[in-house]
Amino acid sequence: MTKIDDVLAGLADQRYLADRGIASAVQLAIELPRPLLLEGDAGVGKTELAKAIAAMRGARPIRLQCHDGIDRSEALYAWDYPRQLLHLRAGEISGQASGTTALYSDQFLLARPLLEAVRQGSKAVLLIDEIDRADDEFEAFLLEILSDFQVTIPELGTITADAPPVVILTSNRTRELSDALRRRCLYHWIGHPDHQREVAIICLRAPDVPAVVAEHVASLIRNLRELDLYKPPGVAESIDWARVLTARNGDPQLWTPADLIETLGVVIKDHDDQMAAAARLAQLIEDAG
Amino acid sequence: MVDMQVAAASSGSSDEFARWIVVLAAALRAAGIPVGIGQTISCREALRALGTDRQSRYWAARLTMIHDPADIGLFNRVFAEVAPATDIADEPWSTTVDAASDRTNGMGTDGSDHVAAGGRASARERLKHRKFSETTESEREQLSRLIDQLAVSLPMRRSRRRRAGPSGQIDVPRTLDHAIRTDGEIVTWRWKQRRSAPRKIVVVLDVSGSMAAYARVLLRLALAMRRVADRDVTRRVEVFAFGTRLTRLSDELTHRDPDAAIDAAAARVVDWHGGTRIGDSLDALVRTWGRRGLLRSAVVVICSDGLERGDPHRLEQAMLRIKRQAYHIVWINPLAGNTAFQPVQRGMATALPLVDTFLPSHDFASLETLVDTLAAIG
């Protein structure tokens, strides 16, 4: 049993079926330790992987969802001003003067995900989701945090992580990330799983789906991915489709074309793509029948 | 050599794997993938963590040295050469990798020199209304300089970020922060206001045969826009060219010397003066770049005469997609400089209803109009 097998088994325990590439990436992210940048089409399981790593290490993932305009006060820390003010007023009424030092204490500090991760250190799994949505300035700031895991709060002092936490970044490539950030990270592209693994994932994630349905859905999905769609279906869509089709009929032999076409909205969420997919499905049904 | 020493030093002794990494890194660099010393050291550490069998070596190297999915196909080839064996499964998604283009230099149709028009007006005034298609080589030279000097200013959008300002919304944290220093009394209100951020610009140039007289001039204009982005990292300008296939030129147009930049871009395009497949090319733009969000709330500038040889339905579909994602579509057409112009060309007639601003681009004056129009888009 090698370490890689341990990682594979550990992730499988968390209901995440990894391949060798993913397992290697996870192992390096933990051991080196270096941030791991994950890219891939929507729905291939980037965020799920981070959650599985956290669960494997017995931690709750600390998640920082990036968005346009995100800044330090949302990512790092902020002071709870309303409570500080109330505290000040309460002090006045009771006649106890409280100095400003008491106001800038831990009690009034709102720790945001990055500070939380620095505090927990090696125990933490930090998920920085959709980093491509944040802007360049935030990326530069993040780079600084990721290089020394040290946060300085002027009123409190410097907090340093005992050891770097496991950091997973995901990106949907809406913006090219800076080379500096890419170089700091390990990089893994998560592709769509191969047929076998997809069947296994469907069975694992949707236990009430019969194996024969999973098999069928996986091959239909693979066919749809071969079309040049604007948004190719991800694994999440395969799982949903398998569930929906099972609810209609547990035996693929009895599926009618209508079963597939009417449920297509679960898999394909774009009008033009749906037209293309419906045509392909009709053809597949014809070929099969 | 430096790499080898560093990699060897990090492992405590010179070992065969450090040497292997150095060889691989050198081969990757030779193939055009930049690999830094830091990455070779990481790779050595990764090998220690993962093991040294072939699969582990593959993943250790790929995870530490490759940072762009477009490079993975190339990496697989280089890896196979450096470590010949067959036990690594080919990644199925290598289809996403852009096919390596054969670089052919197809420029140089400066054949027919017209006689330079006399006239005493300054070069700028004289050239201002001179049709690009009727310029001599020396005039084109002067035009290039004029375009280089065009004051391109890019449109802005309101950003989600806010900053302290004299008016706008109440900045509650800052107001209270100051109140605490004055014993909880709010003496002055603090405000925050929206900042503005530059809009992305996506320039798409038609370089097919019918655009031959204009392509190089318009490329020069694209370069002038690119240079704005080069000076300021928060700005983003992407340039694409197409005839029958789409080529991204943004990286080529970063050279300091404008002539060298144009030459590099020209060398990158493989289908100069060929046929026109506007629909297919715009479709490719939407699929590869639109899917990643490049077009979202961007200003898209399409430079084409609209002489479509492909399927107009496909063009319409692609334009609809762009329209849904982009903030503003500008179409510039050199034919529109002709007073008798009617947008009856197959492609132009299809696309025109979906275009926000339609402008001519046959002379320098029309380019000035374009630049003003761009700056005015909110």
Side-chain angles (χ1 to χ4, degrees):
Chain A
M1 193 91 168
T2 64
K3 283 183 191 166
I4 284 287
D5 294 324
D6 286 342
V7 174
L8 283 169
L11 289 173
D13 285 345
Q14 306 307 324
R15 308 209 304 153
Y16 191 98
L17 287 186
D19 59 15
R20 173 100 187 197
I22 293 175
S24 303
V26 171
Q27 194 194 335
L28 290 182
I30 294 171
E31 278 193 28
L32 286 187
R34 291 270 290 269
L36 171 60
L37 172 61
L38 296 173
E39 288 189 328
D41 285 341
V44 291
K46 301 184 289 285
T47 306
E48 283 301 307
L49 176 57
K51 290 182 185 165
I53 296 168
M56 183 174 83
R57 292 172 64 79
R60 199 169 49 83
I62 301 171
R63 180 171 180 170
L64 175 65
Q65 172 67 51
C66 298
H67 57 81
D68 188 15
I70 190 170
D71 59 18
R72 298 171 68 110
S73 67
E74 288 165 81
L76 194 55
Y77 71 90
W79 290 105
D80 192 346
Y81 295 111
R83 283 193 57 218
Q84 284 177 321
L85 213 54
L86 285 175
H87 184 78
L88 204 61
R89 289 272 183 258
E92 276 173 19
I93 291 163
S94 64
Q96 297 169 331
S98 59
T100 39
T101 37
L103 286 174
Y104 291 99
S105 63
D106 236 20
Q107 195 185 349
F108 299 106
L109 186 68
L110 298 173
R112 306 292 195 210
L114 291 180
L115 178 59
E116 193 57 41
V118 168
R119 277 179 167 170
Q120 291 188 16
S122 55
K123 289 191 290 290
V125 175
L126 173 64
L127 166 61
I128 301 172
D129 223 356
E130 303 188 328
I131 172 68
D132 51 327
R133 289 187 181 213
D135 55 20
D136 295 330
E137 289 162 54
F138 185 76
E139 198 182 303
F141 156 73
L142 198 59
L143 201 58
E144 197 186 312
I145 298 277
L146 291 184
S147 56
D148 41 16
F149 290 102
Q150 188 174 313
V151 176
T152 300
I153 303 173
E155 296 89 346
L156 282 184
T158 300
I159 302 166
T160 311
D162 61 334
V166 177
V167 182
I168 312 289
L169 298 101
T170 74
S171 160
N172 287 325
R173 314 191 76 208
T174 62
R175 179 176 64 86
E176 287 293 331
L177 303 178
S178 72
D179 269 3
L181 185 69
R182 285 177 179 275
R183 287 185 159 218
R184 174 152 305 280
C185 298
L186 300 164
Y187 175 83
H188 188 59
W189 172 276
I190 301 189
H192 293 293
D194 58 27
H195 181 73
Q196 246 184 336
R197 198 157 69 86
E198 183 142 32
V199 172
I201 293 171
I202 294 173
C203 291
L204 189 68
R205 285 293 170 129
D208 46 340
V209 170
V212 57
V213 171
E215 186 80 31
H216 223 78
V217 166
S219 64
L220 284 174
I221 290 273
R222 199 186 44 200
N223 262 296
L224 294 182
R225 281 191 199 129
E226 280 168 10
L227 297 173
D228 191 12
L229 300 177
Y230 284 98
K231 293 259 193 284
V235 185
E237 277 76 27
S238 309
I239 297 167
D240 286 346
W241 208 19
R243 280 207 181 106
V244 168
L245 285 171
T246 305
R248 282 203 159 206
N249 197 325
D251 181 0
Q253 298 303 320
L254 300 176
W255 287 347
T256 62
D259 281 331
L260 298 182
I261 306 284
E262 283 168 18
T263 55
L264 200 54
V266 175
V267 191
I268 309 280
K269 292 151 190 178
D270 175 282
H271 181 69
D272 294 350
D273 282 356
Q274 275 197 348
M275 310 280 271
R280 178 61 165 264
L281 285 178
Q283 196 198 339
L284 283 175
I285 293 162
E286 198 175 311
D287 292 351
Chain B
M1 263 332 274
V2 176
D3 301 22
M4 195 190 286
Q5 287 162 5
V6 175
S10 82
S11 71
S13 67
S14 66
D15 62 81
E16 57 170 315
F17 292 114
R19 220 160 286 139
W20 175 79
I21 290 166
V22 173
V23 171
L24 178 64
L28 288 172
R29 280 184 211 119
I33 300 175
V35 177
I37 296 175
Q39 288 164 293
T40 58
I41 296 172
S42 299
C43 182
R44 185 67 192 91
E45 288 168 356
L47 276 183
R48 205 171 296 121
L50 287 178
T52 51
D53 62 290
R54 191 184 155 85
Q55 276 215 10
S56 302
R57 270 185 288 157
Y58 173 85
W59 285 110
R62 191 178 127 178
L63 286 161
T64 51
M65 293 180 177
I66 299 300
H67 298 94
D68 186 333
D71 288 339
I72 295 177
L74 192 55
F75 172 82
N76 287 346
R77 284 200 292 283
V78 172
F79 184 86
E81 276 167 26
V82 174
T86 52
D87 54 331
I88 290 183
D90 274 337
E91 291 289 295
W93 52 270
S94 53
T95 47
T96 57
V97 178
D98 204 359
S101 60
D102 315 303
R103 301 190 173 192
T104 54
N105 195 336
M107 288 301 295
T109 48
D110 296 331
S112 56
D113 265 18
H114 294 256
V115 179
R120 297 199 169 80
S122 73
R124 187 192 170 89
E125 284 311 308
R126 186 163 47 79
L127 281 172
K128 200 165 172 173
H129 296 287
R130 192 121 170 85
K131 285 190 177 166
F132 293 145
S133 51
E134 295 168 2
T135 48
T136 64
E137 188 153 352
S138 71
E139 282 175 332
R140 276 198 286 275
E141 196 63 26
Q142 294 174 26
L143 266 174
S144 295
R145 304 290 158 249
L146 285 179
I147 293 173
D148 289 345
Q149 290 159 17
L150 262 179
V152 180
S153 83
L154 302 181
M156 307 293 278
R157 67 179 169 86
R158 269 150 58 93
S159 158
R160 307 283 310 175
R161 273 184 187 252
R162 289 171 195 277
R163 61 156 178 224
S167 61
Q169 277 189 356
I170 294 173
D171 188 341
V172 178
R174 277 182 61 243
T175 302
L176 296 182
D177 187 18
H178 282 265
I180 285 161
R181 285 171 207 168
T182 49
D183 272 343
E185 216 55 62
I186 295 173
V187 179
T188 49
W189 291 93
R190 305 280 156 170
W191 307 90
K192 60 181 177 184
Q193 55 190 189
R194 280 247 174 120
R195 293 200 309 201
S196 56
R199 277 193 189 281
K200 290 174 282 190
I201 303 277
V202 180
V203 182
V204 193
L205 295 174
D206 183 343
V207 295
S208 63
S210 56
M211 290 284 287
Y214 310 100
R216 218 168 154 105
V217 174
L218 294 176
L219 196 55
R220 200 83 185 191
L221 178 70
L223 175 68
M225 296 184 185
R226 267 298 297 166
R227 292 169 88 84
V228 177
D230 279 345
R231 286 197 293 272
D232 178 354
V233 291
T234 63
R235 315 233 155 185
R236 181 148 182 216
V237 176
E238 292 281 352
V239 181
F240 299 87
F242 72 89
T244 49
R245 50 163 289 184
L246 189 75
T247 315
R248 179 167 176 262
L249 296 180
S250 310
D251 293 338
E252 277 71 20
L253 294 179
T254 52
H255 204 285
R256 285 216 156 279
D257 172 20
D259 293 310
I262 297 283
D263 287 340
R268 184 97 173 82
V269 176
V270 294
D271 51 355
W272 279 98
H273 311 323
T276 323
R277 306 189 76 85
I278 312 176
D280 289 344
S281 304
L282 292 183
D283 189 64
L285 177 74
V286 174
R287 278 173 197 278
T288 49
W289 293 91
R291 198 185 271 164
R292 293 192 210 157
L294 174 68
L295 301 175
R296 206 160 292 287
S297 74
V299 174
V300 179
V301 182
I302 302 170
C303 317
S304 170
D305 52 14
L307 296 174
E308 169 73 310
R309 307 250 172 96
D311 178 7
H313 176 69
R314 209 168 162 81
L315 172 61
E316 187 178 12
Q317 289 301 312
M319 283 297 292
L320 275 168
R321 288 240 165 222
I322 294 176
K323 186 161 183 63
R324 267 183 247 143
Q325 295 183 22
Y327 177 75
H328 198 102
I329 303 179
V330 181
W331 189 301
I332 60 175
N333 185 338
L335 299 185
N338 192 327
T339 42
F341 173 77
Q342 292 283 325
V344 291
Q345 300 82 1
R346 229 152 56 111
M348 203 59 252
T350 311
L352 198 56
L354 301 170
V355 168
D356 296 298
T357 308
F358 183 73
L359 293 171
S361 62
H362 59 293
D363 59 11
F364 184 70
S366 64
L367 297 190
E368 286 185 323
T369 313
L370 170 69
V371 167
D372 292 344
T373 308
L374 281 183
I377 294 171

